Amino acid sequence: MKLYLFVCLLFCFSFYIKADAQVAENKNLFNRFHSINAIGIVNGSSGTSFMISSINGFNFRKVFVGAGVGYDNYYYRSVPFFIDGHYDLFGKKNKIQLVGNAGINLPLKSQNENTGNAAVKYKAGLFYETGFDYRMACKRHAFITGLSYSFKQVKKELENNVWNPVVNRIENLPLKYDYHFQRIVFRVGWEF
């Protein structure tokens, strides 16, 4: 529930900053601020799911750079935090953009989840995405659709208590899992 509240506040905050930025009439940094909010369908070998993201940053000529946060529901629910970049390849009003981002992926499982007799710990992993967007301008805003390759990593450590006859006691020899998810993402979004 806290995550949903956080994502909603992030979206509202980006609307507020954009509204303040439009008040300024001169060409300052606030006039270059943009927010890209998108939803996407994620497909990979472990099934199909969805994701949402919000990226807030600044546009300088052909380059957009910003910081983003998302909610990724593929296999393990997680929150990626990332740095995002868009580069205009060609087009003036409607543009094809090269897109890339990289950051960390935080699993939404509890820190010490109990499964039977063993405790499970989840750790942050890598997150990155690269692909193309098609940006269709609508006055000062834009509709965006894109296709990209996405990588998501989730690390899991499972408590494993085994009897050690040499020292005559039970020892914890944790089992470590490192999941790598390679997916294709189709997304639609709105830039303002």
Side-chain angles (χ1 to χ4, degrees):
M1 186 65 182
K2 291 179 184 178
L3 173 68
Y4 296 117
L5 181 61
F6 174 73
V7 171
C8 289
L9 288 174
L10 182 65
F11 280 115
C12 293
F13 181 65
S14 64
F15 284 116
Y16 175 75
I17 290 176
K18 185 62 179 176
D20 279 351
Q22 290 175 348
V23 172
E25 293 181 8
N26 57 358
K27 284 280 190 185
N28 60 20
L29 194 59
F30 283 111
N31 286 341
R32 296 174 184 258
F33 177 83
H34 293 281
S35 181
I36 301 171
N37 299 308
I39 59 172
I41 296 174
V42 183
N43 188 22
S45 61
S46 296
T48 302
S49 190
F50 73 95
M51 68 180 294
I52 60 173
S53 65
S54 179
I55 304 162
N56 299 291
F58 296 92
N59 194 25
F60 301 98
R61 294 186 183 169
K62 290 185 159 197
V63 177
F64 170 83
V65 177
V69 63
Y71 173 77
D72 191 331
N73 198 42
Y74 184 83
Y75 202 75
Y76 284 106
R77 289 178 297 155
S78 61
V79 177
F81 290 93
F82 53 90
I83 301 296
D84 184 80
H86 292 235
Y87 180 77
D88 297 342
L89 293 175
F90 53 86
K92 291 194 177 187
K93 185 176 178 184
N94 297 333
K95 302 174 183 178
I96 300 231
Q97 299 176 320
L98 177 63
V99 178
N101 60 46
I104 61 169
N105 184 54
L106 301 174
L108 284 179
K109 297 289 187 177
S110 65
Q111 199 65 18
N112 292 311
E113 178 184 307
N114 286 321
T115 56
N117 295 332
V120 179
K121 293 180 184 176
Y122 291 88
K123 297 182 180 179
L126 182 65
F127 175 85
Y128 65 85
E129 195 171 302
T130 184
F132 295 94
D133 277 356
Y134 181 64
R135 182 185 182 277
M136 294 173 277
C138 302
K139 295 184 181 179
R140 297 188 71 178
H141 307 293
F143 174 76
I144 294 176
T145 182
L147 188 65
S148 62
Y149 166 80
S150 177
F151 176 84
K152 170 181 167 177
Q153 180 183 29
V154 175
K155 296 178 182 179
K156 180 168 99 170
E157 190 174 292
L158 180 65
E159 189 177 84
N160 182 28
N161 295 320
V162 293
W163 176 258
N164 186 341
V166 175
V167 292
N168 197 24
R169 68 176 179 203
I170 294 176
E171 292 183 343
N172 183 20
L173 300 171
L175 300 172
K176 296 181 181 181
Y177 299 95
D178 192 0
Y179 298 103
H180 295 187
F181 300 107
Q182 301 176 22
R183 306 93 50 88
I184 298 294
V185 178
F186 173 74
R187 70 183 159 278
V188 292
W190 185 252
E191 177 185 319
F192 56 93

